[in-house]
């Protein structure tokens, strides 16, 4: 299923002890919109927007085609092609010394997708594309602790009218656009959506739907906060227990027991 053109797709856990599992939220996140009254964030840089659009296209392609290049989903394949078409327009406005190499690699990516090459080939081209973009090619990760209350507030103000109060796709405006708003608060719809794909869609929007991009209005931190909140809507006790266990085993060395970046290995890291 897809969160894009067919409105079906867009793990996770409730966060009653949010600080203690902040790092888990970095791996389990989804969809945002901005508060009404605020100072708009700086417009997203072309390189960053290009990276996000192409990132969405590559993830969608990986779900549309099997390892031998056989088509599995017409919808997700069409989405990948559409996002790459959007990317070409953005790349045309890209300046600087990196631009020619970026545009050439983007053309190679598009050719591979049109030819339905195996996803491994497309992934390898994407890695080269990201490297050619430089720092703007990397996914923006949270730089401050996630704020679930902020995410909930933004969601209630701007998202619930379409996606519903608890993300069931049943808001009063859910069917006013060309496709229904997806039920982003359910595990059934969201089971195969990666945090990176979610964040990038929030940033750039979805062509052909009423979902706009919010990178020019919401800061990166605010987008991640809403992503985290929406993820919490489909939580259950079993997922929470699993997440806390994974965090305790794998994450506390750097992030600390309560996610305060005070683990014993933290001083050895060059960046956070």
């Amino acid at each position: 299923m897809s969160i894009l053109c067919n409105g079906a797709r867009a793990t996770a856990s409730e966060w009653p002890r949010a600080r203690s599992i902040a790092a888990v939220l970095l791996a389990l996140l989804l969809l945002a919109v901005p508060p009404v009254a605020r100072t708009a964030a700086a417009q997203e840089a072309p390189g960053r927007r290009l990276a996000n659009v192409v990132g969405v296209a590559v993830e969608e392609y990986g779900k549309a085609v099997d390892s031998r290049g056989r088509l599995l989903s017409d919808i997700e394949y069409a989405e990948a092609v559409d996002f790459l078409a959007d990317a070409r327009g953005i790349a045309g406005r890209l300046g600087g010394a990196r631009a020619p190499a970026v545009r050439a690699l983007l053309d190679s990516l598009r050719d591979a997708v049109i030819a339905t090459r195996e996803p491994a080939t497309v992934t390898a081209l994407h890695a080269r594309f990201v490297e050619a973009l430089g720092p703007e090619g990397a996914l923006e990760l949270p730089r401050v602790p996630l704020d679930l209350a902020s995410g909930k507030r933004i969601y209630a103000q701007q998202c619930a009218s379409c996606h519903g109060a608890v993300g069931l796709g049943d808001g009063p405006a859910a069917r006013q656009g060309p496709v229904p708003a997806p039920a982003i608060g359910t595990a059934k719809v969201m089971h195969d959506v990666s945090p990176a794909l979610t964040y990038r869609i929030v940033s750039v929007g979805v062509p052909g739907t009423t979902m706009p991009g919010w990178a020019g209005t919401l800061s990166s931190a605010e987008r991640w906060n809403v992503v985290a909140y929406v993820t919490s809507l489909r939580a259950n006790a079993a997922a929470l227990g699993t997440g806390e266990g994974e965090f305790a085993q794998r994450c506390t060395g750097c992030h600390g027991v309560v996610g305060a970046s005070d683990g014993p290995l933290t001083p050895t890291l060059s960046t956070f």
Side-chain angles (χ1 to χ4, degrees):
M1 289 187 292
S2 169
I3 187 179
L4 306 182
C5 293
N6 69 347
R9 193 188 74 244
T11 266
S13 32
E14 179 67 61
W15 316 114
R17 298 178 289 282
R19 284 181 62 83
S20 69
I21 51 174
V24 178
L25 279 169
L26 300 184
L28 304 165
L29 308 156
L30 196 264
L31 262 131
V33 232
V36 178
R38 71 161 66 254
T39 300
Q43 189 65 35
E44 189 176 37
R48 182 74 72 187
R49 177 172 176 79
L50 180 60
N52 284 330
V53 170
V54 174
V56 174
V58 170
E59 288 213 37
E60 289 304 303
Y61 184 77
K63 295 176 174 63
V65 176
D66 71 10
S67 60
R68 297 183 181 180
R70 294 176 297 194
L71 194 62
L72 300 174
S73 170
D74 291 333
I75 291 173
E76 287 172 321
Y77 179 75
E79 290 165 356
V81 172
D82 288 346
F83 271 98
L84 287 175
D86 185 25
R88 293 185 80 187
I90 300 168
R93 301 189 295 272
L94 198 64
R98 297 178 182 271
V102 168
R103 284 193 282 266
L105 284 165
L106 179 60
D107 286 343
S108 296
L109 260 173
R110 181 179 179 277
D111 290 345
V113 167
I114 295 299
T116 60
R117 300 287 301 276
E118 61 277 7
T121 297
V122 173
T123 298
L125 284 168
H126 182 231
R128 292 172 57 195
F129 171 83
V130 169
E131 182 179 2
L133 268 175
E136 290 186 337
L139 177 69
E140 293 176 285
L141 294 174
R143 297 177 178 271
V144 297
L146 295 169
D147 187 341
L148 204 59
S150 171
K152 180 179 181 178
R153 183 175 63 254
I154 297 170
Y155 179 88
Q157 291 175 341
Q158 302 295 329
C159 308
S161 61
C162 288
H163 294 291
V166 292
L168 299 182
D170 58 354
R175 298 186 178 277
Q176 291 183 5
V179 295
I184 59 176
T186 65
K188 180 179 180 180
V189 168
M190 301 297 292
H191 71 280
D192 62 348
V193 179
S194 72
L197 178 60
T198 293
Y199 178 81
R200 284 170 168 153
I201 291 173
V202 169
S203 297
V204 304
V206 183
T209 76
T210 55
M211 174 64 188
W214 298 103
T217 308
L218 285 174
S219 70
S220 177
E222 289 168 322
R223 280 173 272 158
W224 278 120
N225 288 342
V226 184
V227 165
Y229 173 69
V230 175
T231 297
S232 77
L233 294 176
R234 59 185 183 275
N236 56 53
L240 177 60
T242 300
E244 289 183 327
E246 290 290 328
F247 180 80
Q249 293 178 26
R250 302 173 184 273
C251 309
T252 55
C254 294
H255 294 286
V257 176
V258 296
S261 298
D262 58 355
L265 299 179
T266 299
T268 69
L269 304 176
S270 58
T271 59
F272 298 92

